[in-house]
Amino acid sequence: MSAHTPFAPPRKPLVLMTMGSQARNGHDYQVMTHKYIKPLVEISDCTPLLVPTCCGTEALEHYLSLADGIYLSGAGSNIDPALYGQQNLTPDKAQDRERDLFDIALVRAAIDKGVPILGICRGMQEINVALGGDIHQKVYSEPGFDDHREDPEDPPELQYGESHMVELVEGSWFADLMGTRRIPVNSLHGQAIRRLGRGLAPLAHAEDGVIEAIHAPGLPQFTLAVQWHPEWHASENPHSVKIFTAFGEACRRQAAQR
């Protein structure tokens, strides 16, 4: 090698982030909110690859062949209840069936290939549905549960402010990662897990019993999904920093195996 040949920097892990549909002024867009991307870059130290979900699953395996991690974000749309065997109880809420079908297939394929997975809000519910679980479509109407929705009239700083505590499962790796049994979280969801999918187990519960975090303890790869929004001002929240750091480390281990 020439003395003048520069060394290439290590390749950062490549993480798939699936986008969702949004209509604007008569045009259909594929979108991803900046707040989800920034902690993946700034804390996880990974490279995002934004994946459209509007064109079917034909290219899914090609995308997955590039991936060191899968990161499923939240969104304003709900999962089509027909995909978990229920009638639609929230017809006023937006749906995104193209994202549903792509992400469900992606979760199953990523599990088969041992790729690390992180899910947030809708992303957690997608993982659950992909593995045969189902959803409380209106958890705020279920006896014994609180209303976990934000006030739509509030500015974002209030909507994403601390709302309630979650209790982490004692002795779990997640409790060890957080360094505590209870953490404060924001709350911006009208739906929640009802029945867990195959191989999934809870890692945290809200004070009313709503499942707030899950993993797949029988799988070799990193799996974590949370119902709250750790991406919001993530660098200012020590618990969010720990989540995104752990995911980045898992993706680096995956990349090192290539």
Side-chain angles (χ1 to χ4, degrees):
M1 180 181 293
S2 167
H4 301 290
T5 302
F7 287 97
R11 184 181 74 85
K12 292 185 178 182
L14 190 68
V15 175
L16 304 187
M17 299 182 68
T18 54
M19 297 186 287
S21 297
Q22 189 175 104
R24 299 178 188 172
N25 300 320
H27 297 277
D28 292 327
Y29 288 77
Q30 286 277 291
V31 299
M32 173 57 65
T33 313
H34 291 185
K35 67 187 177 83
Y36 291 109
I37 300 172
K38 288 175 70 65
L40 181 70
V41 174
E42 297 173 357
I43 301 174
S44 301
D45 196 27
C46 295
T47 299
L49 175 59
L50 300 186
V51 178
T53 57
C54 59
C55 303
T57 59
E58 182 177 346
L60 187 151
E61 288 292 338
H62 178 63
Y63 281 120
L64 193 56
S65 71
L66 305 172
D68 303 306
I70 306 297
Y71 175 23
L72 303 173
S73 73
S77 59
N78 288 339
I79 300 170
D80 183 352
L83 295 172
Y84 50 88
Q86 294 181 16
Q87 294 184 340
N88 189 4
L89 303 181
T90 59
D92 57 318
K93 294 290 290 184
Q95 293 185 1
D96 188 348
R97 191 174 173 85
E98 290 176 331
R99 172 173 167 169
D100 296 342
L101 297 177
F102 191 96
D103 283 6
I104 287 171
L106 179 61
V107 167
R108 293 170 179 168
I111 286 173
D112 288 344
K113 294 182 181 298
V115 178
I117 303 174
L118 174 65
I120 291 176
C121 198
R122 189 192 209 274
M124 178 169 107
Q125 296 170 10
E126 290 172 346
I127 293 168
N128 192 55
V129 170
L131 295 176
D134 63 12
I135 304 294
H136 285 300
Q137 293 185 52
K138 298 194 291 184
V139 70
Y140 48 87
S141 296
E142 297 291 334
F145 290 123
D146 297 331
D147 191 340
H148 288 253
R149 295 174 295 179
E150 75 279 17
D151 185 340
E153 300 300 320
D154 284 342
E157 290 294 337
L158 284 180
Q159 291 179 349
Y160 285 86
E162 292 180 0
S163 177
H164 62 79
M165 302 294 291
V166 297
E167 188 86 12
L168 311 187
V169 172
E170 186 175 5
S172 67
W173 67 268
F174 191 55
D176 290 343
L177 178 68
M178 294 294 104
T180 183
R181 281 288 307 282
R182 302 178 79 238
I183 63 173
V185 299
N186 50 38
S187 188
L188 300 93
H189 60 101
Q191 302 196 331
I193 287 178
R194 187 179 79 95
R195 176 173 50 82
L196 282 166
R198 296 179 302 277
L200 296 175
L203 283 169
H205 295 87
E207 295 159 312
D208 61 356
V210 163
I211 297 172
E212 290 277 350
I214 59 173
H215 69 149
L219 297 179
Q221 72 260 47
F222 176 98
T223 57
L224 173 66
V226 299
Q227 188 61 72
W228 67 91
H229 287 267
E231 83 285 354
W232 179 255
H233 292 179
S235 63
E236 302 169 16
N237 185 313
H239 303 303
S240 296
V241 170
K242 290 176 180 178
I243 288 172
F244 283 101
T245 298
F247 179 58
E249 290 172 350
C251 294
R252 266 179 286 284
R253 290 193 296 270
Q254 181 73 10
Q257 296 174 9
R258 287 182 174 276

